[in-house]
Every structure is written in structure tokens, then in C-alpha cells.
DNA sequence: AACCAGGCGCATA
DNA sequence: TATGCGCATGGT
């Protein structure tokens, strides 16, 4: 892989195993939209960008700052050898089918707070509405970047609000959970930074101190917001997969990359009957 | 231990 | 156009 940085763009070439459309639109992240054919627009790290892909090259344009190569390489997990991981996962026949049906799914490494807050909102909810609630959250409480783009509001900002302030989001009973999460993160009671490296069970314990964060939301936060590919979120789809295909548990080849296996199986199971 | 809490997208009627 | 179903967590 090579990186080329210009004034308003970053170009990654010769990337292995990456599909931008699949990775941005498989239920991991909620703020990307395909604005025209093959152009994905969104905001992450307070940067408004457009991303497009041609074969093994991706181009990121828009708000590009010094040193941002690292941010986007991390976001798309470009320094992990997905080819090797997928080869190993394909030892299992179901995973082989899933990976070959949807090649190029990568685990996005989103900002921890955004992932935590997004997956609190995701509970007992469907994707169109999750996107709507998050959009309203950003419009009401994020910083205006112009052109209709807003940052994801910080925990510190939301910690000053009360449940009633969130009523325009129409997030229902999740509002009190958002406030509790914001307060615990802002006051340091929950330290999101250490979740990326501490013992994973300790990380789980840390997250479920937050009201509205159970096992599922905690695993999603660790997988999509902390780079923990050993986290394994079990939602209704994955539960079905486990019952139907793996009643004895996950196969050995998924060890330490359970989250990557999960993402392929989840997307495959949702898209075929 | 079953049920509801805010909704709303979705499938079915 | 109406009706029921699903959804993840906490509280009753």
C-alpha cells in the first residue's frame, strides 16, 4: 500500500481487501451516504470528506489536514492484513461463503465516543431511524461545518444537557442513556481511551457502568470504536447464525478476530435467506 | 418472571 | 389504510 497526500486529497493505492461501499454501509457506521454514484460523503473526526474507490485505490477529498493519513488509515484498518485473516477464516465453510459473497468488508475504527453513543441509540431500533436520530443529534448539538455538515457532538457538550433537551431527537427512552453516557465519559468515570488496550473483560465492565449499555452495546463499542476485533457483538442475526450454524460455539479459526468473522456472517445472514 | 417504556420501519392484511 | 412485529436495556 502507498499513500499520496495533496493539498485537498489523500490517495491510498494498492489496498488489499477493502470495499468502501460495503464497509461504510454494513451497519457499523451511520453517518455515510452515497451522494452520487460511488461518492460517499460523511463526517468523521470533525472532518467533512468525500470518499471514492476505483479498484484498489481510494481517494479522500475535502477537509484534509497535516498528518491525516494516519487517521484514515486507522479508520479503514489499513494496517491489518485482512487477506491473511480471511484466508484463515475461510477454513470454516460458512465463513468461506460469507467472505466470498461480500469481499472487502473491513472493521471501521470510529471514534470511541461516537461509537458508544451511536450504539446506545441503536438498541431496540432499526437502521433508518438510528440514522435519523444521529443526524438530529449532530444538527442540534454538533458544530456547524457548513454545507449541511455537523460534527458529532462531544460528550462534554452533551453532559450539560438534560433529557428534555434531547426531545427533538425523538430518541425515546434512550435519551436518558445518552445523558448518562455523556456525563460518565465527560467526568472521567468511564475512560474510553484505555478500552483499546486494557483487558477486554475489564473494558466490558467499564462500559456497562453506563445506564443503557448492556453486553451488546458494549461489544459494538469495543469492536467499532476501540479497534477490538476480538469483541463479538451478538444481535438477533448473529444469535440465529450461532443457533443454526455453530451450536457448539465459534470455530477455532476465528480466535482473536471474532469481530471480523461476526461482520462477514452478520452481513451475509442479513442479505440472504 | 413477564411486561412496558418512545417510537418507527417494515411486512402483512 | 390498518395492524402487528421486532428491536436491547433497565425498571417494575
Amino acid at each position: 500500500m502507498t499513500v499520496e497526500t495533496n493539498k485537498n486529497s489523500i490517495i491510498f493505492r494498492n489496498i488489499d481487501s477493502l470495499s468502501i461501499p460495503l464497509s461504510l454501509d454494513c451497519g457499523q457506521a451511520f453517518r455515510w451516504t452515497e451522494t452520487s454514484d460511488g461518492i460517499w460523503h460523511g463526517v468523521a473526526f470533525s472532518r467533512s470528506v468525500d470518499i471514492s474507490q476505483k479498484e484498489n485505490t481510494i481517494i479522500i477529498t475535502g477537509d484534509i489536514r497535516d498528518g491525516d493519513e494516519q487517521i484514515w488509515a486507522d479508520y479503514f484498518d489499513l494496517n491489518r492484513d485482512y487477506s491473511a485473516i480471511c484466508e484463515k477464516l475461510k477454513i470454516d465453510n460458512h465463513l468461506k461463503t460469507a467472505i466470498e459473497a461480500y469481499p472487502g468488508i473491513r472493521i471501521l475504527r470510529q471514534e470511541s465516543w461516537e461509537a458508544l453513543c451511536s450504539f446506545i441509540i441503536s438498541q431496540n431500533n432499526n437502521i433508518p431511524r438510528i440514522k435519523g436520530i444521529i443526524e438530529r443529534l449532530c444538527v442540534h448539538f454538533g458544530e456547524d461545518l457548513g454545507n449541511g455538515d455537523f460534527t458529532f457532538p462531544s460528550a462534554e457538550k452533551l453532559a450539560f444537557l438534560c433529557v428534555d433537551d434531547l426531545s427533538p431527537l425523538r430518541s425515546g427512552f434512550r435519551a436518558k442513556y445518552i445523558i448518562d453516557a455523556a456525563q460518565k465519559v465527560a467526568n472521567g468515570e468511564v475512560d474510553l481511551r484505555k478500552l483499546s488496550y486494557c483487558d477486554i473483560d475489564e473494558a466490558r465492565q467499564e462500559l456497562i457502568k453506563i445506564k443503557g449499555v448492556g453486553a451488546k452495546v458494549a461489544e459494538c463499542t469495543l469492536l467499532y470504536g476501540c479497534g477490538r476485533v476480538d469483541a463479538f457483538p451478538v444481535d438477533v442475526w448473529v444469535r440465529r447464525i450461532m443457533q443454526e450454524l455453530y451450536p457448539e460455539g465459534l470455530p477455532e479459526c476465528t480466535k482473536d478476530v471474532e469481530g471480523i468473522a461476526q461482520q462477514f456472517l452478520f452481513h451475509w445472514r442479513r442479505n440472504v435467506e
Side-chain angles (χ1 to χ4, degrees):
Chain A
M1 185 185 77
T2 62
V3 189
E4 178 188 326
T5 305
N6 304 304
K7 189 162 185 308
N8 291 308
S9 69
I10 296 174
I11 303 172
F12 292 99
R13 298 180 204 279
N14 294 312
I15 304 171
D16 196 48
S17 303
L18 170 63
S19 163
I20 287 290
L22 277 178
S23 299
L24 294 182
D25 199 23
C26 65
Q28 302 185 60
F30 304 98
R31 299 198 69 202
W32 295 100
T33 49
E34 191 175 22
T35 51
S36 60
D37 198 30
I39 310 286
W40 290 82
H41 183 263
V43 176
F45 312 100
S46 298
R47 289 144 169 81
S48 164
V49 294
D50 289 300
I51 304 181
S52 61
Q53 173 169 29
K54 273 219 172 72
E55 291 164 6
N56 294 330
T57 297
I58 69 169
I59 304 178
I60 304 170
T61 59
D63 183 357
I64 304 294
R65 308 178 200 175
D66 285 348
D68 277 4
E69 301 87 352
Q70 189 64 46
I71 282 181
W72 293 110
D74 285 344
Y75 191 77
F76 289 106
D77 209 9
L78 299 183
N79 293 313
R80 197 186 304 276
D81 187 349
Y82 274 70
S83 284
I85 290 167
C86 289
E87 278 313 304
K88 190 174 148 215
L89 291 176
K90 285 187 197 168
I91 292 169
D92 177 82
N93 273 326
H94 304 303
L95 275 160
K96 183 170 191 289
T97 305
I99 290 168
E100 287 176 353
Y102 297 102
I105 294 179
R106 280 180 180 246
I107 300 298
L108 301 176
R109 181 160 185 175
Q110 303 175 64
E111 291 169 279
S112 302
W113 164 247
E114 177 172 337
L116 169 60
C117 199
S118 296
F119 284 95
I120 285 173
I121 290 166
S122 83
Q123 67 180 76
N124 189 216
N125 218 338
N126 53 65
I127 287 174
R129 191 157 88 107
I130 296 164
K131 286 182 173 173
I133 293 169
I134 291 173
E135 171 69 12
R136 291 188 288 277
L137 176 70
C138 296
V139 169
H140 279 87
F141 305 111
E143 290 167 41
D144 191 348
L145 298 173
N147 301 313
D149 290 316
F150 293 83
T151 64
F152 195 94
S154 67
E156 289 72 18
K157 166 110 185 191
L158 298 182
F160 283 105
L161 305 179
C162 63
V163 169
D164 285 346
D165 295 323
L166 298 190
S167 59
L169 309 186
R170 307 199 302 277
S171 59
F173 61 85
R174 301 164 195 83
K176 56 186 178 290
Y177 302 154
I178 297 169
I179 300 293
D180 189 63
Q183 290 174 349
K184 288 197 166 94
V185 169
N187 72 18
E189 203 176 321
V190 170
D191 181 358
L192 295 180
R193 281 165 308 174
K194 78 174 187 189
L195 301 182
S196 60
Y197 58 82
C198 73
D199 175 79
I200 195 157
D201 283 320
E202 192 184 324
R204 290 172 174 130
Q205 291 307 309
E206 183 85 353
L207 281 166
I208 63 175
K209 291 197 287 192
I210 297 164
K211 281 207 175 37
V213 177
K216 164 65 164 51
V217 173
E219 294 301 293
C220 286
T221 304
L222 291 169
L223 181 58
Y224 306 119
C226 304
R228 301 298 296 252
V229 294
D230 49 342
F232 188 69
V234 178
D235 73 334
V236 60
W237 298 99
V238 174
R239 188 162 292 117
R240 270 174 215 154
I241 292 164
M242 294 307 292
Q243 286 166 359
E244 293 165 6
L245 305 180
Y246 304 110
E248 309 295 316
L250 282 175
E252 176 70 20
C253 64
T254 64
K255 191 173 184 310
D256 297 329
V257 289
E258 293 88 346
I260 296 175
Q262 176 266 168
Q263 197 62 33
F264 282 109
L265 292 168
F266 169 83
H267 197 256
W268 172 59
R269 183 64 176 79
R270 285 196 66 185
N271 286 277
V272 298
E273 64 266 53

